[in-house]
Amino acid sequence: MSTILTIEKVRKRYAEVEALAEVSLAVQGGEFFTLLGPSGCGKTTLLRCVAGFLRPDAGRILCNGERLDTLPAHLRDIGMVFQNYAIFPHLTVFENVAYGLRARRVPPAELRQRAIEALRLVQMEPLANRSPDQLSGGQQQRVALARAMAIRPRLLLMDEPLSNLDAKLRVEMRTEIRRLQRELGITTIYVTHDQEEALAISERLAVMNAGRVEQVGFPWDVYQAPTSAFVAQFIGASNALTGSLTGPDGGWVGVDVGGGWILRARPAEGLAGRVLVVFRPEAVELLPEGGNIPGATLGEGVVASREFLGAILRYYLRLADGSLIHLDEHKPDPTGLRKEGERVRFAVRPADVMLFPAEG
Amino acid sequence: MHRRGDIWTGVTGVAFALLAVLLIIPLGRLLWASLLGDDGGFTLKHYREFLAYPYYSRTIGHSFLVSGLVTLAALVVAVPVALLLARVDIPGKAVLKSLAILPLVSPPFIGAYSWILLFGRAGYVTTLLQKVGITIPTVYGMHGIVLALTLNLYPFVLLMVAGALQALDQSLEEAAQGLGSSPWRVFWTVTVPVTMPSVLGGALLVFLTAFADFGAPMIIGEGYLVLPTIVYSLFVNEMGGNPAMASTGATLLVVCTTAILLVQYWAVGRKRYAMTQLRPVPPVRPRPFVRGLLTGYASLVIGLSLVPAFVVAVTSFFESRGPVLYPNFSLGNYREVLFNVPRAITNSFALSSVSSLLDVLLGTLIAYLVVRRRSVATAALDSCVMIPYAIPGTVIGVAFIVAFNKPPIVLTGTFLILLLAYFVRRLPYSVRAGSAILHQIDPSVEEASISLGVSPLKSFAKVTARLMLPGIVSGGILTWVQTITEISATIFLYFGAWSTITVVIYRQVSSSNFGSAAAASTILLVAVFIPVLAVNWMMGERAVTAV
Ligand SMILES: Nc1ncnc2c1ncn2[C@@H]1O[C@H](COP(=O)(O)OP(=O)(O)O)[C@@H](O)[C@H]1O
Ligand SMILES: [Mg+2]
């Protein structure tokens, strides 16, 4: 695989807001690449720069080594799926899909065959002659997808395409989008603010924050080894405490997180004094009476509340210094439930405790 | 892509140039004419004179009094009917609402004329009552103007208030009731405040329209002069006219209408409550007797405003000799109109069609610029293009004469001056209609087309313009209707062969040729009612907002 799209030091500023501070990215051919970040971090702006609806203030965008950012949008050969589908309401389903092919002056026989083929891929062939106002949200989404794929674009862009669908359909559609993308091998840039969706669907993803790319990587790596406190907290659930370094402790470093409790953590370079301590709920384990896990930091807290989430039971624990952490118990044992107000002991595995510079 | 010098920059430039030539220059010249002394120097003497002589100055008071009375009367007539239409289960509601639009598009001078036919010196009712020995006061003067204008304009209030009441979600009143309010209290603390902006908005619209109206006071006012009519009589004075005083009056008129508009912005500007209506309050269904009574009342009020059209239509088929009409069926009046002034009829159709077409074209493009290409320039354009909204036809008339009767631009006596006056007067409405539709079309639909490989300009044409089309067409028809009934600017600007059907009606009424006036009026009303009813049927409820 080779790089198909290169984004080099792209900046974009609206009157008062710096939407893109300086973004550089490389997307590989055939890849499913996701831009993930909270609302307002600049994902749409970046996508629209690539699509050609916005002109970057600085930087370059290259496709297969050629300048893309100097090309008018309609000559870029980039398919786009919009958040609100943007179906042409005055055209039938078939004509919607045929629209881009007509613009390319595809001969009638081939046009028909390609449009039908695209509709078949999204299982909308039987509804080809419907008018869009007779379609459900999910069906309109499929038409939008077929329309963008029918032109066989060199790049497919999707801006939060599932955000208007209900939760169940969202999960179904994302599986289907991924299957189609694999089948056709279209390089895809997918935008979402939903970290679970991003982890599930992406081959690689870029986490964005306030107009910058914080981290690029495979979902597993970004989850396991976040390079910034922002990524650590944005992806997956996490506990965050502030503390101060106390010094090396075996292969680990100790952090005083308050109340005299010293938590052992993965050593991190260049840190001193105040630090932010982040660990995921699955790094914490409740201990039975007198139980112990060798090498782990032991702690004590009081059950503040608990949530039953189906497969897991989430406990919120109040620590001695008043801070709150949570932990998940998988396949909870109904006979061993801890009650609210009960004092419990738990263990935190040092390998799962990450340190970042304290903010501010 | 934002490329410099694309077609939209051109459109912006053309729009600004047109507004400069058609608004800024005429209004500047008008002001200048009012401030120019006999010696060619600056003077305020015309203003002093206008305000010092009661003959002139009282017209200001008259205008405010007439508009105030019309507004009050319109509220009294319209609000109860609005409540009935919105909240009571009345049969034939849709028909009543469609009929209520008709008075709004009939020119007030036809209304005034038909009240003269009924209650004037030789009116049907007047003579009938005289035969049985009863004399009634004549209809001429202030009360005649108020009567004619009220019945023409009250539907503004009716339709706006009924619309607001229907947009009120049931849950709002239920919530208030849930909080322990009695139905009566709910009405006063929830329903009334929420619909108040619409009541106020409708009332101010009536006030402004009544204030700027020229036709009704001209026809039925006789000695009772208001600002637009004094301006006209100053202009066409037997002694050769007094352009400086006419300009002064026109300037004062535009100052007043601008002030009224500012009050409107201040009073209702931001207070519209946006309702996403899910469940309108279901209409109550009273006992059959009460229901019949209420239906009768609503029909009576709306029927009353259609009396003028009916009277004029019937009269047009009477035999006539001057002001005397004989109730025998005859097509003589139509023969007279069609043979004597066919040119005026074709002029009216041609001028209003061409100017409406231009309005629609430029209005749509400007709307697109203002909504989709926001910039400092287009925001300025948005404000400038609304200026004609505040300018009565009378003022446009005087200003165009003053500006275009000498080099560098001489237009007086040509059809072009009428065409341009019509065009600029209705432009704000076209822009508003266009932007209202554009706001309902998602911009990404056009972007989808671009991303599929169609150039931006073609995408605009194939997608956005295409989606705007139904709205544009109905907006264009309404523009056409308003243009073909125009009299207040036309009366200044028409010349010789370029007379229009409205001018013909006015002149026939003035010279007491009531038969041919009725025939010409009927032709005009039919030409106006048919397209309006068609648009109303096409667009349903939305037609109301368009008017
Ligand atoms: N047309 C615009 N004018 C001004 N600011 C904008 C405009 N579009 C987006 N922004 C701002 O730029 C930032 C990034 O927006 P966007 O790219 O839409 O974020 P995202 O898609 O990640 O939610 C936000 O702060 C947003 O408010
Ligand atoms: Mg976005």
Side-chain angles (χ1 to χ4, degrees), chain A residues 48 52-53 55 69 72-74 76 78 80 82 84 86 88-90 99-100 103-104 147 151, chain B residues 1-3 442 444-456 458-459 462-463 466-467:
Chain A
R48 291 170 61 81
F53 301 127
R55 182 197 273 284
D69 50 321
H74 66 286
R76 291 195 182 188
I78 291 178
M80 179 121 182
F82 295 82
N84 52 10
F88 304 127
H90 58 303
Y99 189 93
R104 284 168 175 69
R147 184 177 67 180
I151 60 170
Chain B
M1 295 300 287
H2 305 279
R3 273 169 302 155
D442 200 291
S444 58
V445 180
E446 194 175 308
E447 289 175 355
S449 166
I450 295 173
S451 81
L452 290 168
V454 177
S455 73
K458 263 196 182 163
S459 293
K462 282 179 80 166
V463 178
R466 167 66 190 73
L467 292 176

Side-chain angles (χ1 to χ4, degrees), chain A residues 94-115:
Chain A
F94 177 85
E95 282 303 327
N96 261 279
V97 177
Y99 189 93
L101 301 173
R102 292 200 194 283
R104 284 168 175 69
R105 308 203 184 289
V106 174
E110 187 193 341
L111 176 138
R112 188 164 176 79
Q113 178 237 319
R114 275 173 68 178

